[in-house]
Amino acid sequence: PGRSENGSRRYHSCTTDELAPSLLSEDGPGLAAALQLFDLAQLRQVFADASDRLVNCAEPPAGAHARLQQIGSRLALLERQAALN
């Protein structure tokens, strides 16, 4: 998501192919908010897709590896919560 001319956030729908790159390009707080929308199975797929994207990307966006770690941390939290239930 980008910003409109007045500085407010613009949101748009993403296809599956665009989701991982969009999340890897997001800032930390924006990514944290977005990750709240995914259940465990979805987040596993997002993490796998994002990992594949970074492996196959010659020049990842600045901060992309940190965003992948952030996705991984959220995934680990959901997996711990699932194990307790």
Side-chain angles (χ1 to χ4, degrees):
R3 294 201 180 264
S4 65
E5 290 178 13
N6 67 6
S8 63
R9 302 281 281 178
R10 283 183 292 149
Y11 292 94
H12 56 84
S13 62
C14 290
T15 66
T16 304
D17 289 344
E18 297 171 328
L19 184 57
S22 294
L23 293 174
L24 291 172
S25 298
E26 188 59 69
D27 63 17
L31 178 59
L35 294 178
Q36 299 294 317
L37 302 173
F38 299 105
D39 66 22
L40 179 56
Q42 292 169 326
L43 198 55
R44 282 182 179 141
Q45 187 62 53
V46 166
F47 184 78
D49 291 347
S51 296
D52 288 345
R53 286 290 179 143
L54 281 182
V55 166
N56 294 309
C57 184
E59 293 184 39
H65 290 282
R67 300 291 75 82
L68 181 63
Q69 286 183 321
Q70 188 176 353
I71 295 168
S73 294
R74 174 70 180 161
L75 177 58
L77 173 65
L78 291 183
E79 288 176 333
R80 282 192 304 272
Q81 289 174 343
L84 294 175
N85 292 332

